[in-house]
Amino acid sequence: MSLDVSPKLLAEAEAGDIREADFIDTVRTSLPYAYDLVESLSVRLHAGITEFTDNQTPPPSERERGQLLRALASDAIRGSLERHFGVALAFQNCHRVAAFRPEARDGQAYTRFTSTRAQVLNQSAELRDC
C-alpha cells in the first residue's frame, strides 16, 4: 500500500472531494523519504538560478527507494507534490529525481533530461534491478 490513509480522510473521500492539503499531509507522513527529497530539491531550485536541481544519490535502502517509486509513479501523488512545491518533477533510474520550474517543461533542459537519449546514457549495471 502506498499511503497510510486515516479513517477521517477515507471517510471524506468516500463522501466527495478532499482537500489537497490533507492529501499532501498523508503523503508527507506515509512517504517521508520521497516527500523530504522533493522538498529539498524544490528549496534548492527556488533558492538558485539553475535550470534544475537533481538527486543522484541512491536511497539508503529499498524501503526508501520504494517510497520514491510509489510517489513518482502515482499521477495523483506526483501532481500534488508538484503543485505543493511549485515544481515540475522528472525521474530516471529509480532514484534520480529532478525538480524544474513548471514553465521549463517546454525548455531544452527538461526535454534533454526526459529524453530517451538521457535515459539510455544514465543506465548502469548496478541500477538494473532497482
Side-chain angles (χ1 to χ4, degrees):
M1 186 164 29
S2 292
L3 301 175
D4 297 320
V5 178
S6 71
K8 180 180 183 282
L9 186 59
L10 181 58
E12 289 173 6
E14 289 170 344
D17 290 334
I18 62 170
R19 291 178 348 113
E20 189 163 50
D22 295 334
F23 182 70
I24 283 291
D25 189 52
T26 299
V27 171
R28 182 185 58 76
T29 59
S30 300
L31 307 172
Y33 175 81
Y35 182 93
D36 291 346
L37 180 58
V38 172
E39 181 179 43
S40 69
L41 291 172
S42 66
V43 166
R44 286 182 16 225
L45 178 69
H46 294 306
I49 57 170
T50 60
E51 291 183 274
F52 69 96
T53 57
D54 67 331
N55 171 63
Q56 295 188 32
T57 304
S61 76
E62 289 305 307
R63 179 182 177 137
E64 286 84 2
R65 186 183 318 279
Q67 287 184 28
L68 196 55
L69 291 171
R70 288 193 301 278
L72 295 173
S74 165
D75 290 339
I77 296 172
R78 184 180 186 150
S80 290
L81 288 169
E82 287 178 329
R83 287 185 296 278
H84 181 70
F85 290 114
V87 297
L89 297 172
F91 188 48
Q92 290 180 358
N93 291 350
C94 324
H95 68 268
R96 187 172 182 204
V97 181
F100 292 81
R101 290 174 178 74
E103 62 274 11
R105 281 191 173 112
D106 296 325
Q108 287 182 333
Y110 185 86
T111 300
R112 273 193 311 273
F113 189 92
T114 60
S115 71
T116 55
R117 179 176 186 264
Q119 185 67 46
V120 168
L121 292 173
N122 284 291
Q123 298 303 300
S124 64
E126 62 270 9
L127 298 176
R128 180 167 304 277
D129 292 325
C130 70

